[in-house]
């Protein structure tokens, strides 16, 4: 059994990822590891932020760990909010304010194409003690609805409709969302890689 620390404080992400993990892996959350810090996300790319989060936790614990950073990329807004998705409407990281800003910025715009993109960064110490960094990406294409739909999930879920569905992520239960989700695709790649070690 492999034990892996997941460098996040986001309970929704932990629940989504735990529902995908097989019996060979045990995911430990930061709170389970007794770590209570707000990990910085200061960079301009998802990749750099994911590396920052994993590196902070690895340097504190010396344990194999992974982190993920996700952004909503809206074509008509030149891929904004992107790496700034959590703080699009300000430092308060308010989901409703972020959604309101997206809907306002897309008012009267016909092209609603968007995608969620997740980058996972894994820091893995091999048997010979060599520490290596690996990245895994997952993309979910879709579009932005004109109004909020549904109450499940988190973040931008009420306004994101994935390709192949007419429901928003917030109208789906976790299993349905996982069939489409960016995070699920990136996590699947991560666990395929770990299973091959
Ligand atoms: P983070 O920086 O990776 O924690 O995520 C940035 C922001 O993207 C979050 O605060 C959410 O607003 C949004 N987000 C990330 N993943 C999802 C998702 O699966 N659905 C909806 N919004 C998400």
């Amino acid at each position: 059994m492999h034990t892996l620390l997941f460098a996040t404080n986001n309970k929704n992400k932990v629940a989504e990822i735990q529902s995908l993990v097989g019996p060979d892996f045990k995911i430990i959350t930061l709170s389970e590891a007794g770590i209570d810090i707000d990990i910085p996300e200061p960079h301009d790319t998802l990749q750099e932020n994911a590396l920052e989060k994993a590196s902070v936790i690895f340097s504190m614990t010396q344990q194999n760990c992974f982190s993920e950073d996700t952004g909503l990329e809206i074509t008509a807004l030149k891929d904004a909010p992107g790496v700034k998705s959590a703080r699009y409407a300000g430092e308060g990281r308010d989901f409703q304010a972020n959604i309101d800003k997206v809907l306002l910025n897309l008012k009267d715009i016909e092209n609603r194409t968007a995608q969620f993109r997740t980058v996972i960064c894994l820091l893995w110490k091999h048997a010979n003690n060599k520490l290596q960094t690996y990245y895994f990406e997952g993309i979910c294409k879709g579009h932005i609805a004109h109004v909020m739909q549904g109450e499940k999930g988190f973040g931008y879920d009420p306004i994101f409709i994935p390709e192949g569905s007419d429901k928003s992520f917030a109208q789906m239960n976790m299993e349905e969302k996982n069939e489409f989700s960016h995070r699920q695709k990136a996590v699947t790649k991560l666990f395929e890689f770990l299973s091959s070690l």
Side-chain angles (χ1 to χ4, degrees):
M1 156 112 56
H2 293 300
T3 301
L4 262 181
L5 250 179
F6 182 19
T8 186
N9 292 312
N10 183 322
K11 291 193 180 72
N12 301 85
K13 290 182 179 181
V14 174
E16 281 187 16
I17 287 180
Q18 248 156 8
S19 73
L20 297 164
V21 174
D24 293 343
F25 298 97
K26 181 156 174 48
I27 303 294
I28 312 273
T29 63
L30 288 185
S31 60
E32 284 169 341
I35 298 172
D36 179 20
I37 54 165
D38 194 14
I39 312 173
E41 297 181 333
H43 301 288
D44 290 334
T45 65
L46 298 175
Q47 204 154 338
E48 288 170 294
N49 279 339
L51 175 62
E52 173 97 19
K53 289 190 255 190
S55 302
V56 167
I57 298 307
F58 188 88
S59 65
M60 289 175 75
T61 63
Q62 302 299 307
Q63 278 196 52
N64 290 330
C65 67
F66 71 98
S67 67
E68 66 97 73
D69 204 30
T70 296
L72 174 63
E73 300 173 337
I74 301 174
T75 308
L77 303 180
K78 301 195 174 90
D79 286 345
V83 73
K84 304 284 178 226
S85 291
R87 297 174 174 81
Y88 191 42
E91 285 304 313
R93 301 195 210 181
D94 181 330
F95 289 156
Q96 186 62 54
N98 288 339
I99 286 178
D100 291 344
K101 185 167 175 184
V102 165
L103 292 179
L104 185 65
N105 287 346
L106 284 182
K107 199 168 169 276
D108 303 326
I109 294 183
E110 252 177 60
N111 178 6
R112 320 281 299 185
T113 308
Q115 66 179 25
F116 274 113
R117 192 159 65 86
T118 290
V119 175
I120 287 179
C121 174
L122 170 71
L123 290 183
W124 186 262
K125 209 193 294 184
H126 288 271
N128 61 5
N129 264 346
K130 193 167 175 222
L131 180 65
Q132 285 207 276
T133 307
Y134 302 92
Y135 294 97
F136 307 89
E137 185 182 76
I139 289 176
C140 175
K141 292 180 184 292
H143 69 272
I144 303 296
H146 287 271
V147 292
M148 289 173 61
Q149 299 171 27
E151 285 169 2
K152 300 188 181 78
F154 69 104
Y156 298 93
D157 280 349
I159 55 167
F160 186 81
I161 300 178
E163 252 177 39
S165 175
D166 52 11
K167 288 198 227 173
S168 78
F169 271 164
Q171 292 172 306
M172 299 180 181
N173 59 36
M174 206 180 288
E175 287 70 34
E176 282 179 284
K177 181 178 172 185
N178 279 341
E179 281 174 33
F180 296 96
S181 130
H182 42 291
R183 191 166 299 105
Q184 186 272 347
K185 288 176 185 150
V187 169
T188 301
K189 288 182 190 169
L190 166 70
F191 286 103
E192 278 172 5
F193 171 77
L194 290 173
S195 304
S196 74
L197 285 176

